[in-house]
Amino acid sequence: MKRMLYLPAALLLLASCQSRSEKKEAFFPVLSFLKSQVAQVDTSLYQLTLIQSHDSLSDTTYIKREAFRGYARDFLELPDLSQPSYAGKYQETKFFDQTLNRVVITYLPVDKSLPIQREEVNITPGVDGPDQVHTVYIDQVVNAGDSTVSKKMLWQVNQGFQIATTVDRPGKPEQNNTLKINWE
């Protein structure tokens, strides 16, 4: 009789374990987070500094707030990996870096032909308050006709962003441009 009682309990335990393993956690909403950062800058009184570099030449200017969104366009047009249409296309890894006291969440493509080659979020866990995102890094590669455009994008929360673009065309020298915008 006791064996008969264990069987339903074991089946119930097995079913609950399977439902937990099948349930996946949602990816960090990188695109939504970046849009909120842009909205914050749009409504702020920050002084916006633009630094543009082309090969070894550099130029620094101030920009108007109205132009900011245009410079941030590469971040705002990223695919949203947290959407169901990207399920199974990217793998998520999480680890805690004790040296930095940060959680690092990394998304890598299952298929290397996808444009986002790496997306990484660094978060400091909140002890007495909410967790704090520090940086978002995106490595994007797009094939456009006969050229390859590689963008390494870094968003430093509440400070600025940088986009390093490399254009590689067959038979021509590689072109390197860096765009950096700071605010605080």
Side-chain angles (χ1 to χ4, degrees):
M1 185 69 173
K2 286 185 179 179
R3 286 187 185 171
M4 297 282 285
L5 291 175
Y6 290 126
L7 183 61
L11 290 174
L12 183 61
L13 179 63
L14 181 62
S16 70
C17 289
Q18 284 179 342
S19 66
R20 274 191 223 135
S21 66
E22 290 172 5
K23 185 179 179 181
K24 290 187 175 186
E25 288 186 33
F27 284 1
F28 182 87
V30 171
L31 184 60
S32 295
F33 179 78
L34 292 173
K35 285 181 178 181
S36 73
Q37 282 277 293
V38 170
Q40 180 182 346
V41 173
D42 278 346
T43 60
S44 74
L45 297 176
Y46 296 132
Q47 181 172 314
L48 304 171
T49 307
L50 168 66
I51 303 166
Q52 288 183 304
S53 301
H54 178 69
D55 294 326
S56 62
L57 300 174
S58 183
D59 186 31
T60 303
T61 59
Y62 293 107
I63 62 168
K64 293 183 179 183
R65 193 162 336 303
E66 297 80 29
F68 175 74
R69 195 171 280 271
Y71 288 107
R73 184 180 63 238
D74 286 331
F75 288 98
L76 298 174
E77 293 177 352
L78 287 169
D80 187 356
L81 303 186
S82 67
Q83 293 299 309
S85 60
Y86 286 96
K89 294 182 180 179
Y90 285 86
Q91 292 180 333
E92 177 184 65
T93 58
K94 296 179 185 177
F95 77 94
F96 181 73
D97 186 328
Q98 289 181 330
T99 307
L100 297 173
N101 188 35
R102 292 189 181 156
V103 174
V104 180
I105 304 171
T106 306
Y107 301 103
L108 297 172
V110 174
D111 176 4
K112 298 296 182 193
S113 68
L114 292 169
I116 302 298
Q117 293 296 300
R118 180 183 196 87
E119 200 169 80
E120 186 173 291
V121 182
N122 285 280
I123 303 170
T124 300
V127 177
D128 295 328
D131 296 345
Q132 298 222 329
V133 177
H134 282 276
T135 59
V136 176
Y137 172 78
I138 296 112
D139 188 2
Q140 181 180 39
V141 177
V142 177
N143 293 318
D146 67 341
S147 61
T148 302
V149 179
S150 173
K151 293 186 181 187
K152 307 224 181 281
M153 302 185 289
L154 176 66
W155 191 280
Q156 295 174 295
V157 176
N158 299 328
Q159 293 179 11
F161 68 82
Q162 179 173 323
I163 303 170
T165 305
T166 302
V167 179
D168 190 19
R169 291 185 180 100
K172 294 188 178 181
E174 194 175 78
Q175 293 179 349
N176 296 301
N177 298 306
T178 302
L179 170 100
K180 185 173 184 178
I181 294 187
N182 295 317
W183 67 87
E184 280 189 78

